Each structure stands twice: as C-alpha cells, then as structure tokens.
Amino acid sequence: MHFVYPAFLFALITLAIPVLVHLFNFRRYKKVNFSNVQFLKDIKEQQSSRRNLRERLILLSRLLALGFLVLAFAKPYLPSQNTIPPGQQQAVSVFIDNSYSMQTLNPEGSLLDEAKRRAKEIAAAYAINDRFQILTQDFEGKHQRLLNRQEFNDAVDAVKISAQSRNLQQIISRQLSLLQTQPGSLQQAYVISDFQAKATGLATLKPDTGTKVNLIQIKANTLPNIAVDSVWLVSAVHRPGETEKLVVKLHNYAAEDASGIPLKLLVNGMQKALASYDVKARAIRQDTLTFSGLQSGWQQAQIQLQDNPVTFDNQFYFSFNVKDKLPVLLVNGGQPNAYLRAAFSSDNFFSPVFTNEGSVNYSRLSAYPLIVISDVKSISSGLAQQLKSYVSKGGTLAVFPADGADLVSYQSLLQPAGAAFPQKLLTEATRVSSLNIQNALFKTVFEDVPRSPDLPIVKKYYQLSAATQTRRESLMDLPGGQPFWSGYKSGSGKIYVSAVPLQEDYSNLPRHALLLPILFRMALLSGHDQPLFYTLGNDAVIETVPLQVGEKQILKLTKDNQTIIPDARQQEGTTLLYLADQLQQPGNYQLSKQDSLAAIIAFNNNKLESDLTYMDKSALIGLLPKGSEVWQPGKGSMSNTVTDTNFGLQLWKLCIILALIFVAGEILLVRLYKTGKQQQSSPA
C-alpha cells in the first residue's frame, strides 16, 4: 500500500491521547449524602472484569476511529500497472466530439450533453495543479493552450455542434501536437465520441509512446437515416428556358427499408419538382428530376427531405449558372477559319472569340468551355503547356491540324495529354467508313439513324498515332479502323483530334452536314465549370470562376448575416479560394467582388456523419496501441474510473467510512453497554 501524502502519517502520534485518557481516567467524583445506608444494601457490585472490558472496547474504538481518520488524510492506495506517481504535474487533453451525429439522443439526453458531462468528470479526477486542453472538431486556435480546471469547465460549457468531421488519427495527432510541448509533465489524451464507423477511420493509431490514449464511447440509440449523397446535372451547359435533368443519389444508411420518403427540389426559393421514394435497407437509389423555366444567372438550389428524427442532413445545397452566351475561343494561324466562323455565328447562344496563336491570353483560358485550334502550323511550347493545364482542369480542346503543320509541335501538345497526334501525311483518297452513333456527341443529332449515312469523303489526311487506342472514343473511322476524328479523356477534360484540317483540299468535312451539330455538341457538353457543391471540412481550397482582383479589391463569401473574406490567389489563369476552417454552416454562399456578384458556391455537410453505424469495443481496441484503453461508461461517474485507473485503487473513502463506523461503535458502547452499577434501579 502507498500513500499520496505520507507526511500526514506523523499525525498517528495523536493516538497517545485516548491512551493517556484511559490510563489516568481524569473523572471527577460527586459526593452524595445518604440519610440511611440501608438503601444501599440491595446494590449489586460491578465486577471489575466487566468494567475493564467496556473501557478497553471504548479505547479500541477511539484508537481505530482516530487512526483511520489520519490514514484518510494520507490518501492510501493500492498501485496498479499504470499508476501515475503522486505529486507530478500532468497535462491532459480531452477531445469532445461535437459533430452532427452527437445531436442524437440516448437515455441520458443528447450525446453532446453527456460528452460534456463526462469531460468535467475526467477533469475532477485530477489534482488542482494539473492542466487541461479542450479540443473539438473545429480545431480552433484558442484550444491550443492548457487551462486550469475552472477554465476548462467553462470552455466545456461553451462547446456547440459543428459541421466539421475529423477521423481519429487527425484528432490524436492534434492532441499530441500540444502535449509534446510539455516535456516536464505526464501526458494523457481522452477522446469522447460516439465513434461512427466511417467517420472514425480504420487505420491503426500511431500516437507517441509516452502518451496514453483513452477512448470513451458514448452510446447512442439506433436510428434510421436517409440522406442525399450527391447530385449532378445531365447537361454541362445550361441555357435559359431549357429543360434540365437532375440526377439525385439517395442513400439509406439504416438496416430497414424506407418507404414514401418525400423529396422537394427548390431553385431560387421556388419549388421545381416533388417526388416520393422507397429505398431498400443499406441501399443507394438514383433517380432523375426534370424541371425548367430557369432565367439566366446563378441559381441557388436546394433539395429537402422529410426524414425524422435525424434532421441535420435533410437539406442538400448546390448551385449552377445559366448562361445567356457561351464563349468559345477559336485559335488560328493568322486568319480566322471561315467554316468555324460560320458555324459558331449561326446560333446567337455562342459567342466566338477569334485570336491567333501568338496573342492568346493565357489568364483567360479557363473562361472558355471549348477551345478550337485550327490552321496553326506550329504550336509553341508555352501555348502547349497552358492548353494541357486547361484540359486537365476540365476544359474541352478540339484540334484541327494545319496544312503543312509542324508535326513535332503537335506531338508535344497531344502525346503528354494522352491523345493521338498526327504522324505523317497520307495522300490516298478514301472515305469515312463508320460513324459511332453511340458517342455522346450524336445522342440528339439523329431522330432516326439512317442505314446508309452520308459520310465525309477524304482526299488526303494525317495518319494519327495508335499508341492511345485503348483510351479512344471514336467519332468517325476510316477503313481498317484508322481514326478520322476521335475523342480522348485527359485529366478532367477531353481532347478531340481530327485527321484533316478544315480545308476542302483535304475532305468535304468543312461543308458536311455533320460538322455543325458535332461542334455544337462539343461546346454544349464541355464540362469546364464550377462543381455543383463542395463539402465542409474536405475542401479547404476551391477553384472558382476566373476573377481579376486589384490591390484594394476583396472577395467576400456571404450567407445571411455571415460574411467571410477568403484568401484569394491567382494560379494558371484560375482563382483559388483558401477557406481553412472559416465556414461552419452548410448553404449557398454568394461570392462577391466589391458589390457585384461573381458566383454562388454551395457547401454541404460531410456525408460521413449521416451513417449512424458505430464501432464496437473490440474494433476500437484493435485501433489502439498497447497501454491504451476503451471505456463505455454507464450511469456512474467517470471520475472514479479515471482515478482508479491512473492512481490505483483509492482507499481514503474506505478509511473515512471505517472511522465513522468506529465512532458510532464508541457511541453505542457508551450508551448501551451498561455495567452492573449503572443497571441498578432507584429505590421506590
């Protein structure tokens, strides 16, 4: 047995006091006068042995009561394997999970309320001089310092639900980053959470060997939940008044089937679609909503579900832009191509911009969904590098080689991007032999597919390389499977390469009926656009529409009464916004430059929080290194559990109980243990 305060044992010398009282028995005798001694004849004399036994029992009770009281102040304990030496200051980090899943209920109330109560109980188990860190999902800078117990309790009371969601390894690493700055103290970390399976992560933790990690799992009731995982629009370009198709992906996270889940689509606050769905247990369902009547400009859209009792993920936000004009950049070798000019001038929706290869504004490339290269004899290395970056970020590039082209420069552009490049000029006449009507570009071109379509006649052409045939999406082929016009995926974008220039000396493609619909479909399906939505906590850096910002101009993200000024940087013609952890609430935010609207950016909660499946104790133990523990507290206080684990089996409470028992024993002996003399009744 060990003592936290062994100096108190010197108080055991006070045991001499009841011994001295017993030996000398300083009692005053009272003189009683009797008129006649005959009244004393019936008194029974008390036997000396009975009197001695009573006095010795009283003495023993006094000695034991006083002794156990002294031991209680010395705080005895039985050490365990992980007992912390008494008197050494400790640095304790306590993480409180305040993610959306902690809003759910159990018999003790909300999970967050119980987690805050457990955090205070942990702090109560430590000494007054120990220091504490509070950490939440927000990873706030103010939580990167140590607090005393009162400050810690105040900080715990201030914790609120957050949209952030971190995995267990990120949490432990953050705790260690502070604890390791306290080399002179013992270090412990506590993580209080419901430990959702997906949000926790499955990687084995690798904390510092000098820090003990304790996981405290708050048990939640099992609840059904359905959420929208994602959405996407079928068309990449949106025109005013056209019919839009939205694909919605629903996920049932529960182990039971869900039926009749109502869903509502709102655009700019107006209801555009209404539906009801049945989703199988643990299943994903996709469906398409059709709506129309949109005006030009940015659209703020929201999907609403009615799914009780879990409501934090019943809204899903997204945004997109309906354009009056679609800009197309046409890069030429000095003179605009007449056929391209005629094609894109035939529809007022397209806004063609003509430039030669030496005057391309690289900073504006990302503003064009489609870039067409034609009649350029030699592609400079700078232009090639910028076009490859443009395509990798989602742009669409169409390449028509020039007559007498520098094939090496075309190879330097196309080969690194994974597209076929012209190798040599073949002067043999031929004809396009096949048309791939399954390609997305032809889906709305033909009402009825002709059995013998009129295909382009070729007089001469460039032979395209075959190194990337496995990634090719054929549009038209020559006899023998030789590509005539093909598409290639590159990064997030696409490159279309033609084997002939748009000149009648090579083929009749410039005047062919297929040229116009193919070019239009390329532009309309081009996907260089802002994503429909971002995820809070996952997307700390986002790419938005190209913006030129001066020294005195700032960008602002605004939603309701909340305004955020992100760090904006220009990189390769795009605008990057660095948000860090400034955004805390989901919704549609307006991106403004000065007082003008630049874009609408939508943010949603992390979908990991929607899956209310929790890890069991054995799975959590498997993630922890040796020496760490997993606790699943019941209705009792965590303070006793922490104390017994860190400081051994505490015996001071037992000592106080025993002291009280012996005090009560002394009282009973004095009052109830009567000697023969005391039992004599008075004469009548």
Side-chain angles (χ1 to χ4, degrees):
M1 184 169 64
H2 298 263
F3 297 90
V4 177
Y5 306 112
F8 274 102
L9 296 178
F10 287 105
L12 290 176
I13 60 176
T14 58
L15 295 177
I17 295 175
V19 174
L20 293 175
V21 171
H22 174 73
L23 291 177
F24 295 98
N25 197 6
F26 300 115
R27 291 185 298 175
R28 292 183 178 180
Y29 292 93
K30 184 178 180 180
K31 185 176 180 181
V32 179
N33 296 317
F34 287 89
S35 59
N36 194 337
V37 294
Q38 67 180 0
F39 295 108
L40 301 179
K41 64 172 64 173
D42 296 330
I43 296 177
K44 297 181 180 179
E45 294 184 357
Q46 180 184 0
Q47 296 181 359
S48 60
S49 60
R50 183 182 179 93
R51 183 182 67 250
N52 291 339
L53 176 60
R54 175 177 176 273
E55 293 179 354
R56 287 172 184 174
L57 288 176
I58 292 174
L59 174 63
L60 179 62
S61 298
R62 290 172 178 172
L63 291 174
L64 290 175
L66 186 58
F68 281 116
L69 184 62
V70 172
L71 291 177
F73 280 97
K75 297 192 74 171
Y77 67 93
L78 296 176
S80 61
Q81 184 178 0
N82 300 318
T83 297
I84 296 173
Q88 186 170 356
Q89 189 180 51
Q90 298 188 65
V92 183
S93 177
V94 181
F95 172 82
I96 300 177
D97 185 0
N98 60 333
S99 60
Y100 277 119
S101 66
M102 297 293 285
Q103 294 182 104
T104 56
L105 303 176
N106 66 7
E108 302 296 320
S110 75
L111 300 190
L112 180 60
D113 289 340
E114 182 177 355
K116 293 161 71 171
R117 177 167 58 85
R118 298 299 184 184
K120 292 181 179 180
E121 291 173 355
I122 291 172
Y126 288 86
I128 193 67
N129 293 326
D130 292 334
R131 291 295 176 261
F132 306 91
Q133 177 205 22
I134 181 175
L135 188 65
T136 66
Q137 295 280 6
D138 299 309
F139 280 12
E140 295 179 271
K142 66 180 181 180
H143 290 161
Q144 284 298 97
R145 64 188 184 95
L146 294 176
L147 311 172
N148 61 38
R149 186 185 297 172
Q150 185 57 50
E151 293 172 334
F152 175 82
N153 289 338
D154 293 341
V156 168
D157 290 333
V159 174
K160 297 180 180 179
I161 290 293
S162 168
Q164 301 292 331
S165 182
R166 323 273 183 176
N167 63 45
L168 189 55
Q169 184 59 66
Q170 291 173 318
I171 294 167
I172 298 298
S173 299
R174 184 79 169 190
Q175 290 180 302
L176 295 181
S177 67
L178 175 68
L179 293 178
Q180 289 173 349
T181 64
Q182 308 294 320
S185 59
L186 295 177
Q187 304 164 7
Q188 288 209 63
Y190 295 88
V191 179
I192 309 175
S193 173
D194 55 0
F195 294 105
Q196 292 173 268
K198 288 189 177 180
T200 302
L202 300 177
T204 302
L205 299 179
K206 299 178 180 179
D208 184 85
T209 54
T211 303
K212 182 181 177 183
V213 179
N214 302 292
L215 306 186
I216 302 170
Q217 186 174 28
I218 307 298
K219 285 292 188 178
N221 296 332
T222 302
L223 298 173
N225 190 30
I226 295 177
V228 177
D229 270 4
S230 62
V231 299
W232 61 92
L233 289 161
V234 174
S235 176
V237 177
H238 318 291
R239 304 176 67 170
E242 285 197 343
T243 299
E244 298 285 350
K245 293 184 177 180
L246 177 72
V247 181
V248 180
K249 182 180 178 182
L250 293 173
H251 195 156
N252 185 356
Y253 291 98
E256 299 179 357
D257 295 347
S259 59
I261 302 298
L263 180 146
K264 184 189 301 182
L265 171 63
L266 302 177
V267 180
N268 298 326
M270 299 179 61
Q271 181 175 308
K272 291 294 184 180
L274 187 65
S276 179
Y277 296 101
D278 298 335
V279 188
K280 297 291 186 182
R282 302 290 181 188
I284 294 175
R285 176 172 177 176
Q286 294 182 8
D287 200 5
T288 302
L289 300 176
T290 303
F291 60 99
S292 60
L294 300 180
Q295 309 237 337
S296 61
W298 285 95
Q299 313 296 314
Q300 302 187 52
Q302 178 184 171
I303 291 179
Q304 294 181 351
L305 289 174
Q306 292 185 14
D307 173 36
N308 294 322
V310 181
T311 60
F312 65 82
D313 54 3
N314 282 1
Q315 290 79 33
F316 190 93
Y317 302 90
F318 64 100
S319 63
F320 59 99
N321 192 13
V322 176
K323 301 178 180 178
D324 278 326
K325 296 284 187 180
L326 182 67
V328 178
L329 181 63
L330 306 176
V331 183
N332 55 69
Q335 291 293 328
N337 186 280
Y339 302 104
L340 291 176
R341 179 194 292 272
F344 287 106
S345 298
S346 62
D347 190 331
N348 292 331
F349 177 66
F350 297 104
S351 177
V353 177
F354 302 92
T355 184
N356 62 62
E357 80 274 14
S359 304
V360 178
N361 185 352
Y362 296 155
S363 64
R364 294 284 299 163
L365 290 183
S366 58
Y368 301 100
L370 174 64
I371 298 177
V372 182
I373 303 289
S374 67
D375 305 323
V376 177
K377 291 188 180 295
S378 179
I379 300 176
S380 66
S381 60
L383 178 60
Q385 183 64 34
Q386 293 297 324
L387 289 175
K388 284 184 285 187
S389 175
Y390 161 82
V391 172
S392 68
K393 294 178 180 179
T396 301
L397 175 66
V399 178
F400 295 93
D403 182 25
D406 178 9
L407 301 183
V408 175
S409 67
Y410 276 82
Q411 180 178 356
S412 66
L413 166 66
L414 298 171
Q415 188 177 31
F421 56 89
Q423 290 180 311
K424 61 181 179 178
L425 181 64
L426 300 179
T427 57
E428 60 186 34
T430 184
R431 188 185 188 97
V432 173
S433 61
S434 63
L435 185 70
N436 182 16
I437 61 174
Q438 301 301 321
N439 193 290
L441 295 182
F442 296 111
K443 281 191 175 181
T444 60
V445 172
F446 302 104
E447 291 183 4
D448 296 314
V449 180
R451 294 184 179 180
S452 301
D454 178 24
L455 299 177
I457 297 174
V458 182
K459 300 173 184 177
K460 54 183 177 179
Y461 63 95
Y462 288 103
Q463 183 181 17
L464 300 180
S465 64
T468 55
Q469 291 293 318
T470 56
R471 301 177 58 185
R472 182 170 73 99
E473 295 180 4
S474 171
L475 274 67
M476 301 179 189
D477 284 342
L478 297 170
Q482 177 69 22
F484 176 73
W485 201 355
S486 299
Y488 303 87
K489 290 183 178 180
S490 178
S492 299
K494 186 169 285 189
I495 300 177
Y496 292 96
V497 182
S498 171
V500 296
L502 287 179
Q503 298 180 14
E504 294 189 53
D505 293 342
Y506 280 76
S507 71
N508 68 343
L509 179 64
R511 294 186 178 274
H512 198 277
L514 287 174
L515 177 65
L516 195 65
I518 291 176
L519 290 176
F520 283 6
R521 290 288 292 170
M522 280 184 187
L524 294 174
L525 293 179
S526 55
H528 186 74
D529 203 357
Q530 176 179 303
L532 294 181
F533 60 90
Y534 294 93
T535 301
L536 290 174
N538 287 2
D539 300 305
V541 181
I542 65 174
E543 179 182 343
T544 185
V545 294
L547 297 170
Q548 298 297 327
V549 182
E551 292 183 0
K552 296 184 179 180
Q553 294 176 320
I554 59 174
L555 297 178
K556 296 186 295 183
L557 277 173
T558 306
K559 175 182 175 289
D560 300 330
N561 296 325
Q562 182 182 9
T563 300
I564 295 168
I565 300 178
D567 181 15
R569 302 179 189 177
Q570 303 294 327
Q571 180 177 331
E572 298 181 355
T574 61
T575 302
L576 300 179
L577 302 180
Y578 292 80
L579 303 176
D581 293 332
Q582 298 180 76
L583 291 182
Q584 301 295 331
Q585 297 297 326
N588 290 311
Y589 288 77
Q590 296 184 359
L591 177 65
S592 303
K593 176 184 175 183
Q594 297 300 95
D595 295 328
S596 62
L597 178 65
I600 301 291
I601 305 177
F603 293 89
N604 289 298
N605 295 319
N606 195 320
K607 289 305 162 188
L608 294 177
E609 291 295 313
S610 297
D611 190 351
L612 301 180
T613 303
Y614 306 99
M615 302 185 72
D616 57 24
K617 186 173 182 178
S618 60
L620 288 173
I621 292 175
L623 299 179
L624 294 175
K626 187 177 180 180
S628 300
E629 295 188 49
V630 176
W631 296 332
Q632 294 177 332
K635 295 184 178 180
S637 173
M638 284 291 302
S639 180
N640 296 335
T641 305
V642 173
T643 301
D644 292 343
T645 302
N646 294 337
F647 308 105
L649 181 60
Q650 300 292 307
L651 302 177
W652 64 272
K653 290 183 180 180
L654 177 62
C655 292
I656 289 180
I657 293 173
L658 291 175
L660 293 176
I661 290 175
F662 286 112
V663 168
E666 179 191 356
I667 294 173
L668 292 176
L669 287 172
V670 171
R671 290 180 176 271
L672 302 180
Y673 197 134
K674 303 296 184 179
T675 62
K677 183 178 180 180
Q678 293 169 320
Q679 293 173 353
Q680 172 100 11
S681 59
S682 298

